[in-house]
Amino acid sequence: MLASDYQTITIAAYRSGGSSSTQTASVTEIKSRETVTAANFARLVSGGKPLTVAGDNGTNMVFDTNALKGISSQALGDIKVEIKDVSEEHQESLPDKMILSLTVSSGRNAISNFGGKVTISLPYELKEGERAEDVTVWHLAGDGTMTEIPCAYDPVSKLATFNVTHLSLYVVGVADKKPWINPFTDVSKTDWFYSAVEFANRNALFAGTG
């Protein structure tokens, strides 16, 4: 076979510690706690490609190119993304909830605000008596304040998915609700539509009559 029949395909590693100096491909998926070079972020941005970070139990984060650009502009070197379960640290104040710390850092610099969008999927196992439509995600501030974030829960994958523009502590669980007092004399627990009426009334979709 002639030498001209050979092709040389070089794929760059881009992760910290990589020995290749030739950079012809970008790393588009890493695991939590792995580091990526700022050069790789720049390659993703220029190529219009997102970065996916995979954690345990299906947890993942997908950074769009605007988010990557914002992070890259603040980076001091290699960039580390970490998904950490800190539920045990909050058991006393938030029992039966999953709390995850989502962080991006470069050197000693924590990067929490960067614009763009991050699509996050967090695992949650429904407990007895809980309903998929009641699964909720909150942003947990340093002072303990919780702000609800719109999310979509898939009972098949058991993941709650939502979008944010900054990283912090996020809580996933079922909101604590007071027992519903049925205001309708013509609706009883044996009616097939009872749960639908409860949902509509709880969420002020309609009030009906007494």
Side-chain angles (χ1 to χ4, degrees), residues 77-96:
D78 289 353
I79 300 162
K80 179 180 179 181
V81 184
E82 183 173 8
I83 303 170
K84 184 179 180 181
D85 188 341
V86 294
S87 303
E88 290 187 4
E89 299 173 20
H90 299 268
Q91 273 302 301
E92 185 174 343
S93 58
L94 295 170
D96 301 323

Side-chain angles (χ1 to χ4, degrees), residues 20-110:
S20 175
S21 60
T22 304
Q23 300 181 343
T24 58
S26 300
V27 172
T28 59
E29 182 171 348
I30 63 173
K31 293 181 180 180
S32 170
R33 295 182 296 278
E34 284 188 338
T35 57
V36 184
T37 64
N40 187 72
F41 266 52
R43 293 270 177 168
L44 292 174
V45 171
S46 63
K49 298 179 181 179
L51 175 68
T52 299
V53 181
D56 298 330
N57 303 317
T59 303
N60 69 77
M61 300 190 292
V62 181
F63 295 80
D64 71 5
T65 53
N66 286 329
L68 296 177
K69 185 177 181 179
I71 294 170
S72 182
S73 68
Q74 302 176 62
L76 302 176
D78 289 353
I79 300 162
K80 179 180 179 181
V81 184
E82 183 173 8
I83 303 170
K84 184 179 180 181
D85 188 341
V86 294
S87 303
E88 290 187 4
E89 299 173 20
H90 299 268
Q91 273 302 301
E92 185 174 343
S93 58
L94 295 170
D96 301 323
K97 300 288 193 300
M98 173 173 280
I99 301 95
L100 289 107
S101 171
L102 310 177
T103 60
V104 174
S105 60
S106 180
R108 295 183 178 181
N109 184 30

